Amino acid sequence: MHVHRRRGWEIPESEATPESAALARHGLARRGLLGAAGFGAIAAGLATRPAEAAWNLFGAPAKLQPLKPLTAKHDDRYVAGRAITPEMNATTYNNYYEFSDSKNLYALAQALPVDPWSIEFTGMVARPRKIAFDDLMKQMPLEERVTRHRCVEAWAMTVPWIGFPLAALVKLAEPLGSARYVTFTSLADPKQMPGMDSPFYTWPYLEGVTMAEAANDLAFISVGMYGKTLPPQNGAPLRLTLPWKYGFKHAKALVKIGFTDKRPRSFWENLAPSEYGFWANVNPAVPHPRWSQAQERLIGTSEVVPTQIWNGYGEFVASMYDGLKKERLFA
Ligand code: MTE
């Protein structure tokens, strides 16, 4: 018998409630509810809870993964124009569905081994191959840049990332001239990632951009933050950072960089195509079907500020979209 179980992104906004009320109403265990909830319910409910209050939901981690100091020359082309988010907040208020639908998954993510690590170049490349993360680090031009990070759930952070331009990684991968898109695949290991037992998601987490977007100066691969290597919960050892797009484009724990001539369908697009599309550029004037994108809540202070088109990075990226007005650029 077919049983239709309504998913989070099908819950109308009027029915979305903070987590505690929802738990009581449905009489569900935390994982059960959240496993069925998805992105939308998180946005409507959990995002209104301060990170600090959730700090100990899973208990303190048995052991924090050691982070190595990592410094690089500061790139002053990018001016955030707002205070850097306290490190404690940026590293304990996360989205990483492979571990949990909760924001305070950091303790769970600590168990993920991230060293050694390797990345595969696949698809339309001159030489499909694997490269060790340590070898990659020797070849990439490291820099630090402070950029704004805007989640589709209407919260934002300002993070001092350390990493290298995505363009440098693309060059190293030697794509064929016929490649039109770059894909980014996250690690999917159910033995290490307890959130993967949810039946609603199609793993692995996958994202993609056009070759032009990948060549843009603002497109970045982060390998560190706050003067250290990335913590597992933020996507160690390497994650995508595209500051003019909603945060769900920023695939974490990358294991594969692929090149293709077909537009990829991402993890969130697979789940809810009417809500999450390929482009996902930030625009305050284009609401999510279930909530406004006009403002954002700054994690750490809870200050609410207006959202800017292209997340304020129009001077770097807007011209890439001049010929694409018919595309759904902002969802
Ligand atoms: N990458 C993977 N593999 N799995 C995820 O669930 N969540 C995305 C993105 N990258 C996600 C992911 C979302 S929705 C956001 S907003 C950012 O990671 C959050 O990054 P942060 O936790 O470092 O702030």
Side-chain angles (χ1 to χ4, degrees), residues 78 83 89 141 162 176 196 202 207 221 277 318 323:
Y78 309 108
N89 296 101
I162 298 151
L176 302 181
M196 288 184 66
T202 314
E207 263 305 338
I221 296 286

Side-chain angles (χ1 to χ4, degrees), residues 39 90 93-100 105 149-153 155 157 159 161 185-187 193 203 205-206 225 233-235 239-240 246-253 267-268:
F39 225 172
Y93 187 90
N94 298 103
N95 272 337
Y96 205 161
Y97 285 75
E98 290 89 333
F99 286 98
S100 170
L105 52 88
H149 168 33
R150 168 58 156 89
C151 179
V152 74
E153 297 168 331
W155 54 260
M157 300 194 194
V159 179
W161 301 108
T185 309
S186 299
L187 178 74
M193 300 170 132
W203 309 105
Y205 199 96
L206 183 119
M225 62 199 294
Q233 61 272 28
N234 293 89
R239 57 91 61 83
L240 189 56
Y246 290 115
F248 70 84
K249 298 288 293 180
H250 305 186
K252 296 179 171 181
F267 175 83
W268 287 107

Side-chain angles (χ1 to χ4, degrees), residues 6-165:
R6 201 161 64 170
R7 301 172 190 201
W9 53 92
E10 296 170 323
I11 297 173
E13 195 162 34
S14 57
E15 275 185 38
T17 55
E19 181 194 23
S20 54
L23 280 169
R25 182 148 60 87
H26 295 273
L28 286 170
R30 162 164 245 293
R31 253 223 69 75
L33 172 72
L34 295 178
F39 225 172
I42 303 283
L46 293 191
T48 59
R49 186 179 57 189
E52 298 87 329
W55 176 276
N56 268 321
L57 205 60
F58 289 110
K63 189 167 176 270
L64 286 175
Q65 283 237 16
L67 303 172
K68 294 183 199 133
L70 186 66
T71 49
K73 192 171 172 296
H74 186 79
D75 186 338
D76 50 21
R77 281 176 300 169
Y78 309 108
V79 179
R82 43 175 89 153
I84 289 177
T85 302
E87 181 180 354
M88 188 276 276
N89 296 101
T91 57
T92 60
Y93 187 90
N94 298 103
N95 272 337
Y96 205 161
Y97 285 75
E98 290 89 333
F99 286 98
S100 170
D101 298 16
S102 164
K103 291 284 183 276
N104 75 326
L105 52 88
Y106 81 97
L108 288 173
Q110 289 299 314
L112 184 71
V114 296
D115 182 16
W117 192 272
S118 58
I119 303 105
E120 227 181 316
F121 298 137
T122 63
M124 302 172 86
V125 288
R127 289 183 300 135
R129 66 192 164 110
K130 250 189 188 177
I131 180 167
F133 178 71
D134 290 348
D135 291 340
L136 180 73
M137 286 292 277
K138 287 179 199 143
Q139 299 177 58
M140 292 293 106
L142 276 197
E143 61 172 68
E144 181 185 62
R145 36 172 92 170
V146 178
T147 51
R148 295 179 295 272
H149 168 33
R150 168 58 156 89
C151 179
V152 74
E153 297 168 331
W155 54 260
M157 300 194 194
T158 305
V159 179
W161 301 108
I162 298 151
F164 46 84

